[in-house]
Amino acid sequence: MKMTFRWYGESDPVTLEKIRQIPGMTGIVSAVYSVPVGEVWGEEHIERIRKAANDAGLEFEVVESVPVHESIKLGDSDAPRLIENYCENIRRFGKAGVKVICYNFMPVFDWLRSELSRELADGSNALAYENAEVLALDPSVSELSLPGWDESYTKGQLMELLEKYKQIDSEKLWENLHAFLSKAVPAAAEAGVSLAIHPDDPPWGIFGLPRIICSEADIDRFLKLVDMPENGLTFCTGSLGVSPDNDIPKMAAKYAKMGRIHFAHLRNILITGERCFEESGHLSANGSLDMDAIVKALKFNGFKGYIRPDHGRMIWGETGKPGYGLFDRALGAAYINGLWEASKEG
Ligand code: DNO
């Protein structure tokens, strides 16, 4: 496995030099943030990230994320053009030495939390999800914003988009995902890269929008849509793990053994009630997931992909992008490395 760290580009207060000093760190996970969703990324932009990473002694082999345009998810008439743009991006990443592309197929919103800075008992601050608060939220007026959300919509455009999704049920979304994958996966195979879908976070429908990558049954169906090794997963323990129905160590073992986990987002969460959770400290004892069992499941089933410590709490007075400070994510990387090193078969 290769330990990596998400870097939000030159404006990220967490610099490459700091990332490089985390023990065991091999590379960054990043993206070109200046290109509107659906457009082709300039080769010079991709090259600039690669060079910055390499100059700091790090690799750039994972792109997170290349957002899928809403028209592709909706199956609109311009979907074929946008899918072709996506394939062109894949080819460009392949040329630049990128090995894995992380993306998601969640309508309109990427990951969602109701609180960005809940104070935990130890005085740290964490992201949290309270179902009653989300149910009371009106996405068309809410000011909530999370890293990764497309902020380019006006409120009016957002309303229009939500209206369009009234025609899209889960089955229609599966069809549109299939149409996307049947072009994108062969393009990826040809370019020498793997696609890694990120599961829906949280793994249930929100605001009446369908979500289809939530469970083991969903993932089984997904992998069969285009049954090629390049059609794989970003195995995100914190996303799948907030549903008590998902047996995370079992799923990690199963999909690692199949060779379909290309990228793993490892973090713990504490389930605090039905459809309620907070992003706890990393240790198994801090949350609801058995992190040791998850790491062993990956290691003993031949996982050779990339790991990132995913989110962290805000500790030691750090401020920054919710979930994406330096200190606690670095502790997460060290913890996962420790589990990995100590895991011995037999
Ligand atoms: C959240 C991230 C997600 C992820 C996308 C991939 O912290 O894991 O925003 O990057 O879902 O498309």
Side-chain angles (χ1 to χ4, degrees):
M1 73 90 173
K2 281 186 172 181
M3 182 59 70
T4 58
F5 211 74
R6 192 172 195 176
W7 181 61
Y8 275 99
E10 284 152 26
S11 64
D12 194 330
V14 182
T15 61
L16 293 170
E17 289 67 31
K18 289 177 183 156
I19 295 173
R20 174 77 174 97
Q21 291 173 4
I22 303 167
M25 201 47 70
T26 69
I28 51 149
V29 169
S30 196
V32 174
Y33 293 100
S34 54
V35 180
V37 176
E39 298 309 316
V40 175
W41 296 9
E43 281 172 311
E44 67 289 1
H45 290 124
I46 304 170
E47 178 54 23
R48 194 179 161 113
I49 303 175
R50 195 196 55 73
K51 189 171 178 321
N54 291 172
D55 286 352
L58 293 160
E59 295 170 337
F60 173 44
E61 297 188 336
V62 182
V63 173
E64 175 176 354
S65 149
V66 191
V68 177
H69 196 280
E70 295 304 323
S71 293
I72 297 179
K73 298 179 213 162
L74 286 160
D76 279 352
S77 55
D78 57 345
R81 177 186 69 84
L82 291 158
I83 293 176
E84 180 40 39
N85 281 358
Y86 206 97
C87 293
E88 178 55 25
N89 275 328
I90 292 172
R91 289 188 279 270
R92 291 183 179 201
F93 300 140
K95 267 207 269 170
V98 167
K99 304 283 184 251
V100 172
I101 299 166
C102 170
Y103 69 101
N104 74 76
F105 217 75
M106 294 176 242
V108 193
F109 302 99
D110 192 330
W111 58 309
L112 179 73
R113 301 289 179 269
S114 56
E115 285 167 71
L116 305 184
S117 188
R118 175 182 292 181
E119 189 165 330
L120 304 185
D122 61 6
S124 62
N125 294 87
L127 292 147
Y129 186 99
E130 209 56 44
N131 200 39
E133 281 174 34
V134 174
L135 292 179
L137 213 61
D138 178 350
S140 61
V141 293
S142 154
E143 295 302 327
L144 195 69
S145 145
L146 284 169
W149 277 24
D150 188 342
E151 304 287 341
S152 64
Y153 306 118
T154 61
K155 291 282 177 210
Q157 286 167 328
L158 185 62
M159 289 305 291
E160 226 175 88
L161 198 54
L162 291 170
E163 196 51 40
K164 277 194 180 177
Y165 269 103
K166 293 201 171 136
Q167 313 304 318
I168 306 292
D169 60 9
S170 302
E171 281 312 306
K172 190 76 197 134
L173 194 61
W174 275 110
E175 256 176 56
N176 297 338
L177 176 56
H178 183 240
F180 168 68
L181 292 175
S182 40
K183 299 281 182 205
V185 179
E190 204 166 308
V193 303
S194 293
L195 297 182
I197 198 167
H198 189 287
D200 300 343
D201 182 358
W204 49 74
I206 51 157
F207 307 136
L209 295 163
R211 288 193 155 197
I212 57 176
I213 310 293
C214 299
S215 65
E216 188 174 343
D218 292 343
I219 294 177
D220 288 345
R221 178 172 177 182
F222 166 79
L223 294 176
K224 284 196 197 107
L225 279 184
V226 173
D227 206 357
M228 291 168 66
E230 293 81 4
N231 182 32
L233 307 173
T234 295
F235 190 79
C236 179
T237 60
S239 304
L240 292 164
V242 299
S243 165
D245 298 338
N246 287 331
D247 181 336
I248 304 302
K250 174 178 167 238
M251 290 164 78
K254 171 173 165 181
Y255 300 122
K257 195 169 201 160
M258 289 167 71
R260 302 296 275 273
I261 302 181
H262 302 308
F263 186 24
H265 285 181
L266 299 190
R267 71 181 152 86
N268 207 348
I269 45 84
L270 179 69
I271 298 175
T272 51
E274 202 183 336
R275 294 197 167 181
C276 296
F277 60 89
E278 58 196 27
E279 299 196 358
S280 62
H282 307 284
L283 267 65
S284 303
N286 294 153
S288 304
L289 301 181
D290 185 339
M291 300 307 293
D292 181 38
I294 294 167
V295 167
K296 285 197 169 86
L298 291 172
K299 187 170 178 182
F300 299 159
N301 286 286
F303 173 74
K304 298 257 173 339
Y306 302 84
I307 291 181
R308 77 170 174 88
D310 207 27
H311 305 163
R313 301 160 302 144
M314 285 299 174
I315 61 173
W316 304 333
E318 189 178 16
T319 54
K321 268 188 207 305
Y324 284 99
L326 168 67
F327 302 143
D328 201 39
R329 281 191 301 152
L331 291 181
Y335 172 60
I336 298 159
N337 275 330
L339 289 178
W340 188 277
E341 185 178 291
S343 295
K344 304 263 187 290
E345 244 167 322

